[in-house]
Amino acid sequence: MESFKKEISDPHELRVISASTEAKDYFLSNFPIDGCQEHLDFIWEKKHKAKANITFAISNDAQAVSLPQSPFGGFWIQEGLSSTSLEAFIMAIEAEMKLRGIRSISLTQSPKPYEPQSDLINYLLFKNGFEQGKVLSHHFFIGKKKIKKLAQKEVVKLQSKSKIAGLSVSHSPISNFGFLNDIRFWNLEKGYEVAIDDNRMVQQVSEYPDRYFLITLRKNSEAIGYSVGVKLTGDSLYYFLSAINPKIRVKNGGELILSALFQLAVEQKVNFIDLGSSDLEEGVNHSLMFFKSRFSNDVCNKIIWVKKI
């Protein structure tokens, strides 16, 4: 019996170009990757109009990754596509990769708040032979008005407590990078290893200074905690690289940092805050998930998909 081979007829066409230098909402799609031979945009077009796209970095050993050294890559849909058309896009990418001699594809699909069709994309990737390499759970707080309401509530709740303890918190654009060493050292003291590529961070902030903000927690004017807020897209704020000096005991330090993040989100007029994942290598970090749950109203998965071709 002949094996069934799926064929999809679709009016769209695949266009592959060197990653565009034009501004993209997810700015890391444009950011060059060290050690890769190519950085390519795969664009799904109809009548020369882009309907969807994905960016891959092609490594020297013929691996295609979307996107390495980034929170996620994956598919972005400019206009609503049917499941048939999305599947045709996935199949066209795989066929093109084979022609280019690529041996494997890996992609990290963004959680649903970033891309509304992520659930459908994940389903179609699974149906087309992609395997889940990893699943990360992200906490989100969604809704511009809800963000403003919670920000106001937290300020009132923490104001008197922080004043009594000599604590203050502020946010500002990033002007120097000394805080990276503090974050690395404080996490190591707590038994956590944080992989920070200082050069890449400096590059990204230098090229996109309006996307990065440093949140600083102080006790009697001494910096004792940091976090970075990143506008990964124009509509979102990402909670990144947080740490508090473990040698200085403070109450409500984490809450103060998050209250500053919410204040920043109000100023930047974003529609959602991504508090990131809470995973440990050995299992679920329940205590961190519980803490983030107090500042979130949704949980969405970020899936890393892999396939050998």
Side-chain angles (χ1 to χ4, degrees):
M1 179 184 290
E2 291 185 7
S3 61
F4 171 72
K5 181 171 179 170
K6 178 168 42 178
E7 293 184 4
I8 295 177
S9 176
D10 190 87
H12 295 78
E13 293 182 346
L14 178 67
R15 184 162 66 101
V16 183
I17 60 173
S18 292
S20 172
T21 56
E22 294 180 6
K24 295 176 183 172
D25 188 34
Y26 182 50
F27 70 97
L28 293 179
S29 297
N30 268 2
F31 206 79
I33 310 294
D34 293 334
C36 290
Q37 61 179 4
E38 288 184 296
H39 197 216
L40 301 173
D41 285 340
F42 288 69
I43 305 168
W44 198 229
E45 293 183 333
K46 184 177 180 181
K47 297 180 180 179
H48 306 291
K49 185 176 179 181
K51 302 292 185 177
N53 68 277
I54 185 171
T55 302
F56 284 97
I58 311 299
S59 69
N60 294 324
D61 59 349
Q63 315 291 320
V65 183
S66 176
L67 285 163
Q69 302 173 43
S70 301
F72 50 79
F75 291 87
W76 298 96
I77 314 301
Q78 278 77 53
E79 294 187 16
L81 292 176
S82 67
S83 60
T84 302
S85 188
L86 274 171
E87 186 172 30
F89 187 23
I90 293 168
M91 294 172 68
I93 289 169
E94 187 173 339
E96 179 65 25
M97 292 291 191
K98 286 179 180 177
L99 289 175
R100 291 172 177 264
I102 303 302
R103 296 187 299 157
S104 72
I105 300 173
S106 173
L107 66 94
T108 305
Q109 181 57 43
S110 64
K112 193 171 183 177
Y114 292 99
E115 171 47 62
Q117 289 193 267
S118 280
D119 283 350
L120 177 58
I121 291 165
N122 288 327
Y123 169 75
L124 293 172
L125 287 168
F126 173 74
K127 285 296 188 180
N128 279 273
F130 283 77
E131 297 180 352
Q132 289 185 2
K134 198 171 186 180
V135 180
L136 298 174
S137 180
H138 280 229
H139 280 82
F140 289 87
F141 199 94
I142 301 172
K144 190 178 292 185
K145 290 182 180 179
K146 291 179 180 179
I147 289 171
K148 187 174 182 179
K149 186 176 180 180
L150 184 62
Q152 292 170 340
K153 179 183 175 183
E154 287 300 306
V155 166
V156 172
K157 186 176 79 173
L158 296 170
Q159 203 167 36
S160 59
K161 291 180 181 179
S162 59
K163 191 174 181 180
I164 293 169
L167 298 173
S168 63
V169 66
S170 62
H171 59 265
S172 63
I174 296 176
S175 56
N176 68 74
F177 296 86
F179 70 92
L180 290 176
N181 287 328
D182 287 336
I183 287 177
R184 187 183 286 110
F185 182 68
W186 292 340
N187 275 292
L188 281 173
E189 284 197 321
K190 293 168 69 176
Y192 305 137
E193 188 169 348
V194 178
I196 307 172
D197 186 335
D198 290 25
N199 292 332
R200 183 172 170 83
M201 182 82 168
V202 170
Q203 252 188 306
Q204 288 174 348
V205 174
S206 298
E207 292 192 29
Y208 301 94
D210 59 330
R211 295 284 192 131
Y212 285 85
F213 303 88
L214 180 63
I215 296 169
T216 305
L217 175 67
R218 292 182 174 86
K219 183 175 176 64
N220 300 325
S221 77
E222 177 190 356
I224 63 167
Y226 295 107
S227 185
V228 177
V230 188
K231 288 189 74 174
L232 291 177
T233 65
D235 210 24
S236 67
L237 190 62
Y238 179 58
Y239 178 61
F240 183 51
L241 289 179
S242 185
I244 296 176
N245 187 341
K247 290 182 178 178
I248 299 178
R249 293 188 174 277
V250 295
K251 286 186 177 181
N252 307 119
E255 287 89 341
L256 279 166
I257 287 176
L258 280 181
S259 73
L261 183 77
F262 273 75
Q263 292 292 337
L264 176 60
V266 172
E267 292 174 16
Q268 294 296 312
K269 300 178 180 179
V270 300
N271 278 329
F272 66 90
I273 296 171
D274 180 357
L275 296 177
S277 64
S278 309
D279 292 66
L280 296 170
E281 286 299 322
E282 61 271 20
V284 180
N285 191 339
H286 288 292
S287 61
L288 184 54
M289 291 188 78
F290 176 74
F291 172 72
K292 289 183 179 179
S293 71
R294 294 162 54 197
F295 294 87
S296 65
N297 57 13
D298 203 356
V299 180
C300 298
N301 288 338
K302 179 175 75 177
I303 303 174
I304 298 174
W305 295 98
V306 292
K307 185 176 184 179
K308 292 182 180 180
I309 57 175

